[in-house]
Amino acid sequence: MSVLVYTETEKGKFKKNAFEVASYANAVAQQLGTTVTAIAFGADNAEELGTYGVSKVLNVAEASLSDFNARAFALSIAQAVSSEEAKVVLLSSSTDSKFLAGILAGKLSAGYAPNVVAAPETTEPFIVKRTAFSNKGFAHTQIDTDIKIVGVSNNAFGVVENPTSADVAAFSPQINESDFSTKSVEVDKVVGKATIADADIVVSGGRGLKGPENWGLIEELAEVLGAATACSKPVSDLGWRPHSEHVGQTGKPVASNLYIAIGISGAIQHLAGVSASKVKVVINTDPEAPFFKAADYGIVGDAFEVVPELTEKLKEFKAQNA
Amino acid sequence: MKILVCISNVPDTTSKINFTDDDTKFDTNGVQFVINPNDEFGLTRAMWFKEKQGATVHVATVGEATTEPTIRKALAIGADEAIRVNAAPTDGYFVAQQLAEVIKSGGYDLIIAGRESIDYNGGMVPGMIAAMLDMNFVNTCISLEIEGENATAVREIDGGKEKIATSLPLIIGGQKGLVEESDLRIPNMRGIMMARQKKLNVVEAVGGTQATKDVKFERPAPKGAVKLVDSANIDELVNLLHNEAKVI
Ligand SMILES: Cc1cc2nc3c(=O)[nH]c(=O)nc-3n(C[C@H](O)[C@H](O)[C@H](O)COP(=O)(O)OP(=O)(O)OC[C@H]3O[C@@H](n4cnc5c(N)ncnc54)[C@H](O)[C@@H]3O)c2cc1C
Ligand SMILES: Nc1ncnc2c1ncn2[C@@H]1O[C@H](COP(=O)(O)O)[C@@H](O)[C@H]1O
């Protein structure tokens, strides 16, 4: 028996969330008195996972499995679960992991708990704490099936080193041609820029910025911080920014370390999607804006004055602390 | 083309979330229930297929009799028929099993579900159905075109989007983008009157197993007061973020 963790890669390199889910897997394995096996698809430095307590890595080298395909990846992971006799399977909260999680759970007849924020409270019965009601509450969810799937929330458990040496073995899942019947034909993706899903810092603008022509303000601040840019729903509805930047209850969830909200009122649907961020800073002209009640730090002031100055001060700070 | 839209009945987005029975149950007192927003985008896209491509649209929900106003609303928006599986939706796995049964017996070509229900945030039902029925599946779907047996979908990915070619039968997990906010329809009087004549088939649950249960709920810890920084003193904010919050 072992704990199996799916560690995601991007062009052969592990994503940051891979180290976080591996760290989580190690905590579960210690509770269960077992070891961690990881499965990766085309990882260049698979042994790197040893740093986070993974003792064995199944590295899939098949060219047909070099690019993400939810069904083919889910079936491969299911085969690894049975060859390793794994009882607990860990996934991240990335869009890809959430895509394959349901398929995997269906194939394994396994219960799945998503958005989990802490190591299991008990393993007999198996209970995990997760966010629910779009961050307006937490649920303690008991998984009763023989195999249990846990989706770990971004940035909640953290990366924990636990050095061991990882044995890397090639793994060749049996996947049929017919399992590739949903085919990727085109990927349109920003490269070299932090994304809302994995950024440590997110800078977000609302209707208070008046129009798309003012977004340079947001982008410059984001650039100094190495942050991803985001927006409120009306901003994407108005076409000022792409839909992929819309965050909140009906948009993308944000679980960054720092969330800076500029010209956003803080409607309940917006807050629901961003409140998992650890530290929130609000810049708004209206001292009564509801967002101030949910924020850690705030400046009552005009974005057009405050933001350029903040960007300058941060540049100075970065220069001094480089 | 025969379409099934899966509708989950959820608290309105403005609802205050409270728990009762020693924090083991969600308190529905005073809560307004609505069509899950992700499903409403999907239903509206289904109406487009009905009007432009002659599709038949059914809606299904797994829920007790109290969910009927929500399913009637879907009929008022324009769905042709509704199915209610008469059971409490205890967990995602149970719901997926029930819907898989409805899909098998109904012979649908396209199943439109949502990316997630905004109450329990499972995000699992459509993927589970896809696995149970070995169907093509596209999640976080923001655009869908069907021509004959062929489907072209766009899904949101972290940092962008991906175009996918696939074929029917297909299930999607949809969200905003499938249609725009401004395309959403409020049922009119005529729609509401017509909905009363439409078929709402109540079927009993097929066995099914519950894989998970929520044993306890908790509300987030109350937040401390915000620290306000004077706009004339922005250095102070940089200092706090570095030394106190330790996030830069
Ligand atoms: C079903 C449903 C789902 C929804 N889902 C989401 C969601 O997922 N995400 C989301 O964001 N919203 C969502 N909403 C919309 C939400 O209710 C709010 O309408 C929206 O968040 C408001 O966006 P905003 O704060 O940018 O704009 P506004 O509410 O217009 O606020 C603008 C703010 O900018 C401030 N301001 C103005 N000028 C300046 C200036 N010069 N400098 C600084 N501040 C300034 C104002 O004081 C104000 O507080 C949803 C609504 C519904 C009904
Ligand atoms: N009780 C239910 N009845 C019908 N469809 C449901 C139900 N629960 C979930 N779904 C569908 O599955 C999607 C994802 O839900 P979930 O996995 O619960 O987050 C929803 O958007 C619905 O389309």
Side-chain angles (χ1 to χ4, degrees):
Chain A
M1 187 185 98
S2 74
V3 167
L4 185 80
V5 55
Y6 165 46
T7 47
E8 289 170 77
T9 53
E10 171 96 45
K11 297 207 162 59
K13 287 179 68 175
F14 286 113
K15 293 200 206 166
K16 195 183 85 184
N17 67 34
F19 301 139
E20 188 170 18
V21 283
S23 305
Y24 186 101
N26 187 60
V28 180
Q30 283 181 4
Q31 281 174 289
L32 293 171
T34 180
T35 57
V36 182
T37 302
I39 178 168
F41 294 80
D44 294 336
N45 293 306
E47 62 286 347
E48 233 182 310
L49 294 174
T51 313
Y52 309 97
V54 174
S55 56
K56 179 173 172 189
V57 186
L58 304 174
N59 199 9
V60 178
E62 270 70 9
S64 60
L65 292 168
S66 61
D67 292 325
F68 180 79
N69 179 292
R71 181 175 165 90
F73 275 38
L75 295 176
S76 303
I77 297 169
Q79 289 174 28
V81 168
S82 72
S83 73
E84 294 297 306
E85 294 175 20
K87 292 294 177 221
V88 183
V89 186
L90 285 333
L91 308 172
S92 83
S93 288
S94 72
T95 303
D96 285 354
S97 279
K98 285 195 164 180
F99 187 177
L100 67 75
I103 307 175
L104 185 62
K107 280 290 160 207
L108 295 173
S109 305
Y112 163 52
N115 309 318
V116 169
V117 294
E121 282 152 31
T122 63
T123 54
E124 272 311 321
F126 194 92
I127 299 178
V128 284
K129 179 176 175 180
R130 64 186 195 88
T131 61
F133 298 97
S134 306
N135 291 313
K136 291 188 234 170
F138 292 100
H140 297 263
T141 301
Q142 177 173 327
I143 311 180
D144 291 321
T145 43
D146 182 34
I147 297 172
K148 298 153 179 76
I149 306 179
V150 173
V152 183
S153 215
N154 285 340
N155 261 326
F157 187 78
V159 173
V160 184
E161 293 195 6
N162 240 307
T164 181
S165 76
D167 286 332
V168 180
F171 185 67
S172 299
Q174 300 304 308
I175 307 293
N176 302 321
E177 183 55 38
S178 61
D179 292 320
F180 291 95
S181 54
T182 61
K183 289 193 178 59
S184 174
V185 287
E186 194 182 314
V187 176
D188 177 4
K189 191 171 169 177
V190 243
V191 282
K193 205 177 155 246
T195 66
I196 295 168
D198 59 22
D200 286 329
I201 305 180
V202 174
V203 178
S204 188
R207 202 145 56 177
L209 285 162
K210 312 278 191 283
E213 65 281 6
N214 300 324
W215 239 259
L217 233 56
I218 300 287
E219 274 162 356
E220 280 158 35
L221 176 57
E223 188 172 336
V224 190
L225 292 168
T229 54
C231 67
S232 68
K233 178 162 171 284
V235 165
S236 73
D237 287 342
L238 289 162
W240 297 358
R241 298 298 291 174
H243 281 309
S244 56
E245 286 200 0
H246 153 209
V247 297
Q249 185 163 13
T250 54
K252 281 212 167 72
V254 183
S256 55
N257 282 328
L258 173 61
Y259 182 73
I260 305 182
I262 302 167
I264 300 178
S265 57
I268 188 164
Q269 299 94 349
H270 186 86
L271 296 180
V274 305
S275 61
S277 288
K278 297 212 175 77
V279 176
K280 289 170 281 285
V281 174
V282 169
I283 300 169
N284 197 306
T285 40
D286 176 8
E288 301 296 323
F291 216 142
F292 284 114
K293 292 207 178 64
D296 301 279
Y297 302 101
I299 294 183
V300 177
D302 186 341
F304 295 93
E305 288 157 23
V306 172
V307 177
E309 200 184 329
L310 177 60
T311 305
E312 277 316 304
K313 299 282 185 199
L314 283 167
K315 269 189 199 154
E316 286 166 27
F317 167 82
K318 291 276 172 183
Q320 278 162 19
N321 291 267
Chain B
M1 179 165 54
K2 216 174 152 191
I3 302 177
L4 183 73
V5 183
C6 303
I7 293 197
S8 144
N9 175 58
V10 300
D12 166 64
T13 56
T14 57
S15 305
K16 296 264 183 299
I17 303 299
N18 292 305
F19 303 106
T20 61
D21 294 37
D22 198 21
D23 287 335
T24 58
K25 282 205 177 70
F26 170 57
D27 184 358
T28 56
N29 218 331
V31 171
Q32 168 83 27
F33 280 84
V34 297
I35 300 176
N36 183 39
N38 292 314
D39 305 344
E40 196 176 354
F41 291 113
L43 175 64
T44 312
R45 186 63 191 161
M47 295 324 301
W48 188 93
F49 287 122
K50 174 176 161 158
E51 283 154 18
K52 297 286 180 349
Q53 301 188 347
T56 308
V57 178
H58 292 181
V59 291
T61 199
V62 179
E64 291 167 315
T66 49
T67 63
E68 286 199 0
T70 299
I71 203 99
R72 284 271 175 222
K73 185 178 171 198
L75 290 172
I77 287 173
D80 300 301
E81 253 181 55
I83 300 144
R84 181 172 68 81
V85 179
N86 185 30
T90 46
D91 82 323
Y93 194 77
F94 175 82
V95 169
Q97 286 174 312
Q98 304 308 320
L99 292 171
E101 225 29 67
V102 170
I103 294 161
K104 265 195 288 188
S105 57
Y108 297 98
D109 307 292
L110 174 64
I111 319 300
I112 300 182
R115 172 192 74 182
E116 71 170 16
S117 303
I118 62 162
D119 50 1
Y120 295 91
N121 308 125
M124 62 182 84
V125 167
M128 286 173 167
I129 294 173
M132 290 168 183
L133 301 178
D134 277 324
M135 269 186 158
N136 290 326
F137 171 44
V138 178
N139 204 17
T140 56
C141 185
I142 53 172
S143 155
L144 179 65
E145 305 285 344
I146 309 280
E147 255 194 66
E149 291 294 298
N150 296 322
T152 307
V154 179
R155 76 167 178 117
E156 201 163 274
I157 56 175
D158 292 333
K161 51 193 181 184
E162 177 180 37
K163 192 169 170 183
I164 287 177
T166 185
S167 58
L168 302 179
L170 167 71
I171 179 164
I172 65 157
Q175 61 183 50
K176 192 182 91 164
L178 268 182
V179 300
E180 293 308 315
E181 181 79 23
S182 53
D183 298 324
L184 295 179
R185 302 173 183 193
I186 298 161
N188 57 22
M189 216 14 136
R190 203 176 109 84
I192 295 167
M193 298 302 286
M194 278 170 63
R196 294 201 187 134
Q197 318 296 321
K198 289 179 182 169
K199 263 212 265 184
L200 197 167
N201 307 299
V202 178
V203 300
E204 291 309 315
V206 287
T209 38
Q210 186 180 350
T212 63
K213 58 175 171 283
D214 294 325
V215 289
K216 191 119 187 147
F217 295 102
E218 197 182 308
R219 281 159 43 107
K223 186 124 197 86
V226 59
K227 264 194 192 166
L228 287 181
V229 176
D230 196 291
S231 60
N233 194 6
I234 287 176
D235 278 324
E236 177 61 11
L237 180 63
V238 175
N239 176 35
L240 286 168
L241 291 178
H242 180 58
N243 291 315
E244 189 178 87
K246 299 189 172 28
V247 286
I248 58 169

